[in-house]
Amino acid sequence: MRFATLVAVAMVATGCSETMQTTNAMMVTKGYAFPPPAARVFCTSHPRLCSTNGQVKLVTLTPARKAELEAVNTSVNRRIEERSDLVTAGSVDDWRVPTKQGDCEDIAILKKSELLKRGWPASALLLTVATLGGEGHTVLTVRTDKGDLILDNRGSVIRDWKRTSYHYFARQSQSASGKWVRISS
């Protein structure tokens, strides 16, 4: 038997197979990153929406919790028309809580706000920046015991972060509120 097979057999025998699957679905972070400049301005006036404080690092994803995530994702995506910051705010990058229109980070912020109102822990709701084809994009990462899930305004389906086509760059830190961390690819 090959070494990797022996290790896998030993882990299954000791009850570690669930941990292997969960760990594989989690983003790995590596050092600090600079937050998007507009995030600093936004977070000064909306600290509750930027907070990642809390003890719960992974939410147990029950069927009810999954349904709640899907309801918030779908509801916000339907209510908020995607429009660039140039159109809505007259600047290249302006983070805000949208009411009718907003761009990707505004929509991710609103999803975080709605989940916070429903009792979700801020420490498991992380604004995350990525790129696709060289274009920047922001999504909401929800850390669960089933892996890191992505709530995105570009689709109504909630996906495991590895099953998206984005190159993830950075997200809010779970351990240091106000800080951002780099995501290893």
Side-chain angles (χ1 to χ4, degrees):
M1 279 188 157
R2 292 180 31 198
F3 180 73
T5 304
L6 287 173
V7 171
V9 169
M11 292 182 82
V12 169
T14 60
C16 293
S17 61
E18 182 68 27
T19 304
M20 278 178 40
Q21 292 172 347
T22 301
T23 302
N24 198 24
M26 302 300 210
M27 291 178 181
V28 176
T29 59
K30 182 179 174 181
Y32 287 108
F34 290 108
R40 290 179 190 232
V41 175
F42 176 80
C43 292
T44 300
S45 58
H46 296 86
R48 183 182 75 78
L49 294 177
C50 294
S51 173
T52 59
N53 290 331
Q55 298 301 313
V56 178
K57 300 301 182 193
L58 298 175
V59 173
T60 301
L61 193 63
T62 63
R65 285 286 205 180
K66 186 174 182 192
E68 200 169 29
L69 278 181
E70 290 169 347
V72 166
N73 194 53
T74 300
S75 171
V76 171
N77 285 353
R78 286 184 181 157
R79 285 190 339 250
I80 306 301
E81 178 187 6
E82 185 175 10
R83 304 285 289 184
S84 75
D85 286 333
L86 278 175
V87 172
T88 60
S91 67
V92 176
D93 195 20
D94 181 65
W95 288 34
R96 60 182 57 218
V97 181
T99 54
K100 294 180 181 178
Q101 298 177 332
D103 66 357
C104 57
E105 77 272 349
D106 304 331
I107 295 168
I109 289 166
L110 182 57
K111 290 175 185 181
K112 181 173 183 172
S113 175
E114 299 225 349
L115 289 167
L116 288 170
K117 288 176 190 172
R118 293 171 180 233
W120 285 67
S123 51
L125 304 172
L126 308 171
L127 297 171
T128 305
V129 293
T131 59
L132 179 62
E135 181 182 323
H137 188 56
T138 303
V139 295
L140 181 65
T141 299
V142 179
R143 305 219 64 207
T144 77
D145 63 336
K146 305 289 189 243
D148 291 336
L149 303 179
I150 301 300
L151 279 66
D152 190 358
N153 66 301
R154 291 183 176 168
S156 59
V157 176
I158 296 171
R159 299 189 189 283
D160 176 284
W161 77 283
K162 284 191 169 185
R163 294 190 179 171
T164 68
S165 51
Y166 299 121
H167 172 71
Y168 292 91
F169 176 73
R171 72 163 194 228
Q172 292 178 296
S173 169
Q174 279 189 296
S175 60
S177 197
K179 303 278 187 190
W180 285 63
V181 290
R182 288 183 298 142
I183 299 168
S184 293
S185 33

